[in-house]
Amino acid sequence: MNIHEYQAKRLFGRFGIPVPAGEVATTPAEARAVAERIGGRVVVKAQVLTGGRGKAGGVKLADGPEAVEARAREILGMDIKGHTVHQVLVDPAVAIASEIYLAAVLDRGQRRTTIMTSRQGGVDIEEVAATDPSAIKRVTIDPLVGLQPFHGRRLAYGIGLGGAQAGQFGRIVAQLYQAYQSLDATLAEINPLVVLADGTLMALDGKVNLDDSALFRQPELEALRDPGEETEAERMAREAGLNYVDLDGSIGCLVNGAGLAMATMDVTQLCGGSPANFLDIGGGAQADKVETAMRIILRDPRVKSVLVNIFGGITRGDEVARGILAALGNIDTDVPFVVRIVGTNAAEARAILAGADMRTAPTLYEAAQMAVAAAAGR
Amino acid sequence: MSILVDKHTRLLVQGITGREGAFHTGHMVDYGTQVVAGVTPGKAGEAVHGVPVFNTVADAVEATGANASVIYVPARFTADAILEAADAGLPLIVTITEGVPVHDMLVVTNSLVQRGITLVGPNCPGLITPGEAKVGIIPGNIVRPGPVGVVSRSGTLTYEVLYALTERGIGQTTAVGIGGDPVQGTKFVDVLARFQADPATESIVIIGEIGGTDEEVAADYIAQHVTKPVVGFIAGRTAPPGKRMGHAGAIISGGTGTAAEKTAAFERAGIHVARHPDEIAAIVARLIGA
């Protein structure tokens, strides 16, 4: 789960990291009121869960309440890479001497946490990694030992900080790592961490990715989920315990298992079609779950055919076939279905579906070809 | 021959009285696996499918001589269960549970690696040595003994491949599901090393997916150390960046972890790459002349 910049900075502030004293607003009038409280020049920032807000015109400086209200009016409702802006953050503007990048990130391959920093703040770290990799300094943290003060010193001196500034940087590294651990984050990023005119450091932007598997012990963070960032279909799927991702093709896919679901999408494309979604109904799904999955797929008007691909292992093929028929009995649709069920009780499943005049195929490749052909004819 | 588990494996089931634990214990016992003990705190003295239940792993190991554990406990108790099994001296721990917090797994995997303990999973289907032992949830009726080693990050996609191989009369030494989480106890290279060293394994199937760089690391390892023919497949060519595709670890982030990169790495390493799952068994058949 990802959270907004203003939420990330609030959390960082709780761990002692210096952040601007801004507030979030959902209307131009609210933005104006925040600016009046803060006083002076402010920056109005779109709060959407995507990068490139600045380039899209979603971050603007404003002087005085009138200007703030006008800028907020421009930004609210704006579309940035498919995300509608519902909130803006109004932060006091600060004089920036230079910008630093700092992040704690999960290193899956090493099974460690990497803390990395660079003097080239304010740009994507991937860009720095590609153009000037030596500018990035890293330390790797052994989770059994934890972060030590020397890690902070190595990073601070590594990017050329010294004196009191190096000391403050080391403290921020420790606070960021503590936030990363305490919040069950897989990424905690400050970009930029700015050097102010007086030489002190402040986190001007923040990004946090949270581990979905840990939300059960982070109820406060679960409450930060932005319902506006989820499609209706994605919400329905999450509540039903289905793994679902919206795509923009025309072949609906209903599969058991994540790897098989991805492979099913891939084969659809290989056969000249394009998948409308990723959908994994999980193991041992009952008829009601199958029905919810079908409703989610069929509510998408772009879906021209549906490919059902089930591997019966512990799950019995005939049970899934009965589930599909029961679901279709309750849903009014003329979208053609192609069903492929193999594994345990597959023959019984085929017999059940043949009685219902449903297209079946023995292999995934053939099923995908049939689904693509059925979609093309509509 | 086989890797990791065989007919001598004396298996202990943690979470044996739970719904999943009890159900799969039945299947493992029916398959002929030596399931010698179960553990559920507070349920000592009970039995599940004839398997005696103990309060602690230490008690179970002392009473039965168990030498491997399979874990079905809920995610919030999984790190504790793995560490309990490690503390009791078990050299092989297989964790089926999905949804274990990443920070728990960082601590657990680093601790187990230091102690030389093999952890498979979490969020995996386990492993099966056809005709000898089934540890986890891979269906026993889709495998048969034979010369192919299978390693995969997936569950049902692996079953597909096992089923297709078996249908063609091609059996397997051992099939290992290493799981779909970002932080895993066993990586591709750990299993590849074992298959390379196993005289009964004549060829290897590796099934990867988007996210992380373990497939690239595996490709390098294969190029340098594996002399047996390898057939590979990567799922997720059509997955969009930044979206988690079911598995916690199946996500393209920061432009890395794409199927295209992984497929290219496989090809550079001389791995026979299948374009779709149906092709995998066909390529294996061609390679081994079956």
Side-chain angles (χ1 to χ4, degrees):
Chain A
M1 186 177 107
N2 299 339
I3 59 174
H4 288 295
E5 172 201 358
Y6 79 92
Q7 297 168 323
K9 287 199 292 196
R10 264 185 208 163
L11 291 168
F12 287 166
R14 231 187 266 173
F15 289 89
I17 298 170
V19 291
E23 282 175 54
V24 75
T26 55
T27 64
E30 268 178 40
R32 180 194 179 113
V34 173
E36 281 169 348
R37 270 201 298 281
I38 293 172
R41 227 151 81 101
V42 301
V43 55
V44 183
K45 306 175 84 176
Q47 298 297 290
V48 281
L49 297 179
T50 182
R53 295 175 300 167
K55 281 178 199 146
V59 180
K60 293 210 169 106
L61 276 166
D63 226 334
E66 301 297 328
V68 171
E69 194 170 334
R71 296 297 86 77
R73 185 166 288 117
E74 289 161 17
I75 295 172
L76 284 164
M78 185 184 267
D79 180 279
I80 300 179
K81 294 184 186 168
H83 300 251
T84 306
V85 182
H86 298 293
Q87 307 172 93
V88 291
L89 173 63
V90 182
D91 262 358
V94 293
I96 298 168
S98 67
E99 298 181 311
I100 294 169
Y101 176 94
L102 177 66
V105 61
L106 172 71
D107 180 342
R108 309 165 45 148
Q110 301 297 317
R111 295 187 278 229
R112 298 282 162 106
T113 295
T114 298
I115 301 182
M116 50 185 176
T117 187
S118 150
R119 284 307 288 258
Q120 299 177 36
V123 293
D124 280 351
I125 195 70
E126 288 90 5
E127 207 176 303
V128 181
T131 57
D132 189 8
S134 67
I136 302 172
K137 303 299 170 194
R138 294 182 174 82
V139 292
T140 299
I141 311 301
D142 180 344
L144 301 180
V145 179
L147 182 97
Q148 302 301 314
F150 81 83
H151 289 123
R153 292 197 297 273
R154 266 189 59 188
L155 292 172
Y157 296 128
I159 58 167
L161 302 179
Q165 212 170 47
Q168 195 199 357
F169 183 83
R171 282 194 297 282
I172 292 174
V173 168
Q175 288 157 341
L176 185 68
Y177 184 71
Q178 203 202 338
Y180 164 85
Q181 275 208 306
S182 310
L183 301 171
D184 272 306
T186 53
L187 170 75
E189 180 186 82
I190 304 173
N191 187 26
L193 175 69
V194 296
V195 181
L196 300 175
D198 66 358
T200 61
L201 304 170
M202 178 182 268
L204 229 53
D205 200 345
K207 184 176 174 187
V208 172
N209 295 351
L210 299 166
D211 175 14
D212 293 305
S213 296
L215 288 175
F216 71 84
R217 63 185 179 198
Q218 303 278 2
E220 193 194 354
L221 299 180
E222 171 66 50
L224 298 182
R225 187 188 295 278
D226 181 348
E229 286 287 340
E230 207 172 39
T231 65
E232 175 67 10
E234 284 169 346
R235 185 192 59 76
M236 282 170 68
R238 183 169 52 80
E239 287 173 358
L242 298 162
N243 286 311
Y244 175 87
V245 176
D246 249 340
L247 300 170
D248 51 14
S250 61
I251 318 271
C253 299
L254 191 159
V255 190
N256 65 329
L260 190 58
M262 279 188 272
T264 304
M265 287 162 39
D266 297 349
V267 174
T268 302
Q269 193 191 48
L270 195 64
C271 292
S274 119
N277 64 275
F278 164 94
L279 199 163
D280 163 21
I281 60 170
Q286 306 291 315
D288 58 335
K289 218 172 182 179
V290 173
E291 183 173 337
T292 306
M294 289 205 171
R295 284 190 189 281
I296 290 169
I297 290 172
L298 293 170
R299 67 193 300 286
D300 179 352
R302 292 168 305 185
V303 169
K304 301 279 185 277
S305 71
V306 176
L307 171 55
V308 179
N309 184 26
I310 300 291
F311 188 90
I314 303 298
T315 310
R316 282 168 42 194
D318 56 331
E319 277 184 10
V320 176
R322 270 188 277 272
I324 291 167
L325 287 192
L328 282 178
N330 293 333
I331 304 171
D332 184 26
T333 181
D334 60 352
V335 171
F337 276 66
V338 178
V339 182
R340 180 218 174 214
I341 298 180
V342 287
T344 310
N345 291 4
E348 292 87 333
R350 276 194 291 275
I352 291 166
L353 294 170
D357 187 29
M358 188 159 295
R359 277 169 260 204
T360 60
T363 68
L364 171 54
Y365 195 80
E366 288 164 275
Q369 283 181 318
M370 286 166 67
V372 170
R378 291 169 65 87
Chain B
M1 282 288 284
S2 58
I3 66 167
L4 292 164
V5 296
D6 59 24
K7 58 180 181 288
H8 304 294
T9 300
R10 295 176 63 78
L11 187 66
L12 175 156
V13 181
Q14 288 174 263
I16 194 168
T17 57
R19 192 168 58 94
E20 296 286 311
F23 176 77
H24 291 292
T25 295
H27 283 283
M28 292 189 290
V29 169
D30 288 348
Y31 194 73
T33 313
Q34 282 198 69
V35 184
V36 296
V39 170
T40 297
K43 302 266 174 88
E46 294 185 13
V48 176
H49 298 286
V51 177
V53 180
F54 299 85
N55 281 332
T56 68
V57 176
D59 287 352
V61 170
E62 195 188 333
T64 66
N67 59 14
S69 173
V70 61
I71 295 177
Y72 295 95
V73 307
R76 62 185 69 196
F77 309 123
T78 298
D80 181 40
I82 298 170
L83 293 171
E84 184 185 359
D87 194 62
L90 293 174
L92 174 65
I93 303 165
V94 180
T95 304
I96 308 303
T97 309
E98 179 176 2
V100 182
V102 166
H103 283 268
D104 287 4
M105 288 316 301
L106 279 176
V107 171
V108 167
T109 53
N110 278 281
S111 172
L112 266 60
V113 165
Q114 280 187 4
R115 290 187 265 177
I117 298 167
T118 299
L119 170 70
V120 180
N123 188 16
C124 81
L127 54 160
I128 189 163
T129 292
E132 300 200 29
K134 162 182 151 91
V135 176
I137 63 176
I138 298 175
N141 60 344
I142 59 169
V143 298
R144 61 180 276 170
V148 182
V150 178
V151 60
S152 171
R153 276 169 71 189
S154 170
T156 47
L157 180 55
T158 314
Y159 306 167
E160 278 269 4
V161 173
L162 292 171
Y163 179 77
L165 287 169
T166 298
E167 285 272 286
R168 286 173 178 267
I170 304 169
Q172 307 87 35
T173 46
T174 302
V176 186
I178 59 173
D181 270 8
V183 176
Q184 303 153 313
T186 291
K187 292 166 171 289
F188 280 129
V189 289
D190 304 318
V191 180
L192 290 168
R194 289 178 189 270
F195 279 141
Q196 173 64 22
D198 173 34
T201 300
E202 293 169 19
S203 62
I204 300 167
V205 172
I206 176 170
I207 302 165
E209 63 189 32
I210 56 161
T213 54
D214 283 357
E215 286 80 2
E216 286 89 331
V217 174
D220 284 347
Y221 183 87
I222 288 166
Q224 288 173 34
H225 303 289
V226 177
T227 56
K228 300 173 181 181
V230 182
V231 181
F233 177 74
I234 303 286
R237 185 165 284 276
T238 49
K243 294 276 188 182
R244 212 167 287 283
M245 307 304 281
H247 288 156
I251 181 167
I252 298 167
S253 54
T256 63
T258 65
E261 287 171 323
K262 291 170 187 295
T263 304
F266 271 13
E267 281 168 350
R268 279 196 302 275
I271 298 169
H272 303 267
V273 180
R275 290 175 309 149
H276 58 89
D278 297 345
E279 271 189 357
I280 298 172
I283 296 173
V284 173
R286 199 179 70 227
L287 288 175
I288 68 173

